[in-house]
């Protein structure tokens, strides 16, 4: 087996330049789901790419962007099946003035490829495809069956992904869903994540007048929408920064002893983390940092809008105010339940406010001790020559729940991007070595799962 995998790794190395050009080709496609831009072009490019591997390829329709699906049967009886998940849509590039290079003209600078989608997520899902390619080209053949599930609306909250999950449960059957998204640990060590937080987005609007009013002639006579919003938001959080909405934490599950053991094994460098986050200091200790990241929900203001925010001053009483909030949810919390609690709170503290719901995603988790999960950890360690950091879950959100809770499939995420990838921000990038290491890592994971 070692000779076989050596040939695969040699094949990967022989394609470094052409694989980089392939990634650049994908990054040049501005597949921005929020603008319904470039989606068809990227879909077609991926269909062509998978068909070039010899994959049986299909496009699974949804009410929004379609899923590109491919499968390759290795021809071995009782072989395990891995489904590689990824998303081909990207975040909008704005603010454009924040970019040092054009966002959709991929540029290599000091060993990093800059461009929207380099790390999130084109460079990462492409690594899986290229690992499979190298098995096929090396002449050794795949030791497992592989499937590819590439969606086009992850950055929009995967709002329509269920359209192709329920009717295709049989097609999607596998032993593991394998995803690479996000960045590695700030220490540079690889991570294996076994779950994600869910999400609920809401918008609250307060209207106190049909228009803005003069702050002198009418000041003190009518309510100010901005102040009404401030009072409402203040009622939603306590002096310690915890959400004060009644029942918000009722269903939060305490971490297990094994979860705490995994936290104790993790590295924590607050100075390095602060640098990556762009803040002066991390105020939490190691235990609280990871508990908040993985086992506690959040209540976060995304944006506030009221009154005049241009150059100079405009002396008005704002007649309207709005706020956008997202909450990251943990096991046993559901968006529906939390939304009802928020509505009740708003009706109590600001009866005239209007509240609307945005995207919702359930939290998800997979047991870390499953044989297939252990095989993933071995594969990652094989390439990196270090034991990966095992995380019970990660703070971010993706539509993993559709696989774990709807399709009943175990799922893990192994990030391949550098910790400072700047995803969702200007100057998104992926180091070339992270890209190439991702291909090699996928090859090792395929080998280890093939040995089960």
């Amino acid at each position: 087996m070692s000779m076989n995998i050596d040939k695969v790794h040699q094949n990967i190395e022989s394609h470094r330049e052409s694989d980089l050009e392939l990634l650049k080709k994908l990054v040049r496609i501005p597949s921005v789901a929020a603008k319904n831009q470039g989606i068809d072009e990227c879909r077609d490019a991926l269909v062509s790419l998978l068909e070039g591997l010899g994959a049986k390829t299909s496009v699974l329709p949804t009410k929004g962007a379609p899923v590109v699906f491919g499968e390759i049967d290795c021809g071995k009886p009782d072989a395990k099946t891995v489904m590689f998940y990824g998303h081909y849509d990207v975040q909008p590039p704005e603010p454009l003035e924040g970019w040092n290079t054009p966002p959709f003209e991929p540029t290599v600078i000091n060993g990093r490829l800059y461009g929207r989608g380099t790390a999130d997520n084109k460079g990462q899902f492409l690594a899986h495809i290229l690992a499979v390619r190298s098995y096929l080209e090396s002449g050794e053949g795949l030791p497992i069956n592989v499937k590819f599930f590439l969606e086009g609306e992850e950055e929009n909250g995967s709002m329509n992904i269920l359209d192709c999950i329920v009717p295709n449960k049989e097609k999607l059957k596998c032993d593991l869903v394998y995803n690479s998204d996000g960045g590695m640990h700030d220490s540079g060590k690889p991570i294996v994540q076994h779950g994600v937080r869910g999400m609920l987005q809401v918008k609250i609007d307060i209207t106190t007048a049909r228009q803005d009013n003069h702050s002198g002639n009418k000041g003190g006579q009518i309510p100010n929408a901005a102040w009404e919003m401030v009072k409402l938001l203040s009622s939603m959080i306590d002096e310690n920064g915890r959400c004060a909405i009644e029942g918000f934490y009722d269903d939060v599950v305490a971490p297990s002893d094994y979860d705490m053991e995994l936290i104790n094994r993790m590295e924590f460098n607050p100075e390095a983390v602060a640098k990556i986050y762009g803040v002066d200091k991390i105020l939490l200790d190691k235990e609280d940092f990871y508990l908040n990241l993985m086992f506690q929900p959040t209540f976060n203001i995304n944006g506030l809008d009221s009154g005049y925010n241009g150059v100079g001053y405009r002396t008005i009483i704002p007649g309207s105010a709005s706020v956008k909030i997202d909450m990251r949810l943990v096991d046993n919390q559901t968006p529906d339940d939390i939304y009802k609690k928020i509505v009740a709170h708003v009706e109590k503290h600001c009866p005239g406010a209007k509240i609307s719901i945005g995207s919702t995603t359930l939290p998800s988790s997979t047991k870390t001790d499953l044989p297939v999960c252990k095989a993933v950890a071995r594969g990652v360690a094989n390439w990196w020559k270090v034991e990966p950091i095992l995380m019970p879950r990660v703070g971010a959100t993706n539509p993993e729940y559709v696989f774990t809770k709807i399709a009943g499939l175990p799922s893990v995420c192994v990030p391949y991007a550098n910790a400072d990838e700047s995803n969702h921000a200007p100057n998104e990038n992926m180091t070339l070595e992270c890209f190439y290491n991702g291909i090699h890592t996928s090859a090792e994971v395929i080998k280890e799962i093939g040995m089960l």
Side-chain angles (χ1 to χ4, degrees):
M1 180 62 72
S2 60
M3 183 178 296
N4 293 349
I5 197 66
D6 285 347
K7 289 183 179 180
V8 174
H9 290 306
Q10 289 166 9
N11 183 278
I12 293 169
E13 286 299 306
S14 72
H15 284 283
R16 284 173 74 97
E17 290 187 13
S18 60
D19 287 347
L20 177 58
E21 289 306 310
L22 179 55
L23 175 54
K24 287 181 179 180
K25 178 181 177 181
L26 291 178
V27 173
R28 287 190 184 100
I29 303 173
S31 47
V32 183
K35 301 178 181 180
N36 194 26
Q37 176 185 5
I39 295 299
D40 292 347
E41 183 183 355
C42 200
R43 173 204 63 201
D44 293 344
L46 293 175
V47 168
S48 177
L49 179 60
L50 293 181
E51 287 179 344
L53 290 182
K56 181 182 177 183
T57 307
S58 56
V59 175
L60 308 181
T62 74
K63 295 185 190 74
V67 170
V68 177
F69 184 78
E71 48 191 331
I72 300 175
D73 191 324
C74 71
K76 297 180 175 68
D78 303 320
K80 299 293 184 184
T81 299
V82 172
M83 183 162 67
F84 292 109
Y85 165 86
H87 65 91
Y88 62 90
D89 64 314
V90 301
Q91 281 279 317
E94 287 81 5
L96 297 178
E97 63 272 15
W99 288 82
N100 296 327
T101 59
F104 295 111
E105 184 47 55
T107 307
V108 176
I109 302 174
N110 296 328
R112 294 173 183 250
L113 181 66
Y114 287 86
R116 177 60 87 220
T118 50
D120 188 14
N121 178 248
K122 293 175 180 179
Q124 303 211 49
F125 76 67
L126 182 59
H128 311 316
I129 296 173
L130 297 176
V132 170
R133 183 275 321 274
S134 289
Y135 266 98
L136 298 173
E137 285 190 359
S138 69
E140 301 302 329
L142 279 166
I144 62 172
N145 304 313
V146 296
K147 298 180 180 181
F148 299 99
F149 187 103
L150 306 175
E151 70 151 313
E153 290 186 300
E154 194 271 351
E155 300 295 6
N156 268 1
S158 302
M159 292 185 291
N160 298 297
I161 193 173
L162 281 176
D163 293 352
C164 67
I165 295 293
V166 176
N168 291 293
K169 275 189 179 181
E170 194 66 29
K171 183 189 287 283
L172 302 180
K173 275 187 177 179
C174 61
D175 295 284
L176 179 71
V177 178
Y178 189 95
N179 174 28
S180 293
D181 203 353
M184 300 171 65
H185 193 264
D186 59 88
S187 66
K189 286 187 176 181
I191 309 170
V192 181
Q193 301 162 346
H194 299 80
V196 296
R197 290 194 286 195
M199 184 165 67
L200 166 64
Q201 296 174 327
V202 300
K203 182 174 183 284
I204 302 173
D205 293 287
I206 294 176
T207 302
T208 54
R210 285 187 293 275
Q211 72 279 325
D212 296 337
N213 282 285
H214 192 290
S215 66
N217 293 339
K218 300 169 186 176
Q221 297 167 296
I222 59 174
N224 180 311
W227 277 119
E228 295 302 308
M229 181 63 77
V230 168
K231 288 188 286 185
L232 175 60
L233 293 175
S234 296
S235 74
M236 293 178 160
I237 196 165
D238 67 19
E239 64 276 10
N240 297 313
R242 284 174 62 83
C243 183
I245 294 172
E246 186 176 353
F248 187 79
Y249 296 97
D250 283 355
D251 298 315
V252 174
V253 179
S256 68
D257 290 342
Y258 183 59
D259 291 330
M260 295 304 300
E261 181 184 332
L262 293 179
I263 288 176
N264 289 332
R265 293 183 200 171
M266 293 178 191
E267 295 186 12
F268 182 59
N269 183 333
E271 290 78 19
V273 174
K275 185 177 180 180
I276 291 170
Y277 287 11
V279 298
D280 293 333
K281 180 185 279 188
I282 298 296
L283 301 177
L284 301 173
D285 61 22
K286 173 182 173 178
E287 185 173 294
D288 284 339
F289 180 87
Y290 284 117
L291 285 175
N292 281 352
L293 179 66
M294 297 187 288
F295 296 98
Q296 286 294 314
T298 66
F299 188 84
N300 176 61
I301 294 174
N302 298 137
L304 284 166
D305 183 35
S306 185
Y308 176 70
N309 294 294
V311 177
Y313 294 87
R314 183 169 170 238
T315 51
I316 58 165
I317 303 168
S320 63
S322 66
V323 64
K324 291 181 179 179
I325 299 169
D326 81 52
M327 288 139 280
R328 304 293 173 140
L329 309 180
V330 294
D331 285 352
N332 284 15
Q333 289 186 307
T334 67
D336 287 347
D337 178 65
I338 296 299
Y339 181 67
K340 290 176 183 176
K341 290 170 178 175
I342 295 171
V343 170
H345 184 95
V346 171
E347 288 178 347
K348 177 181 178 181
H349 292 269
C350 191
K354 294 182 180 179
I355 181 169
S356 57
I357 191 167
S359 69
T360 64
T361 307
L362 288 166
S364 168
S365 61
T366 291
K367 292 182 178 179
T368 58
D369 58 355
L370 295 178
V372 71
C373 293
K374 292 181 178 180
V376 168
R378 289 194 300 271
V380 174
N382 288 349
W383 180 251
W384 288 91
K385 310 304 179 191
V386 64
E387 291 298 319
I389 298 169
L390 303 182
M391 298 184 71
R393 61 192 49 76
V394 68
T397 300
N398 66 39
E400 184 182 275
Y401 81 95
V402 301
F403 302 118
T404 59
K405 294 190 174 182
I406 306 299
L409 305 169
S411 178
V412 299
C413 179
V414 182
Y416 290 165
N418 36 294
D420 57 349
E421 60 180 319
S422 294
N423 55 337
H424 293 212
N427 301 314
E428 178 183 343
N429 69 90
M430 189 173 190
T431 69
L432 302 187
E433 287 311 304
C434 276
F435 174 53
Y436 297 131
N437 282 330
I439 305 171
H440 287 292
T441 302
S442 291
E444 287 288 346
V445 168
I446 288 171
K447 183 197 79 170
E448 287 294 332
I449 295 176
M451 295 174 66
L452 291 177

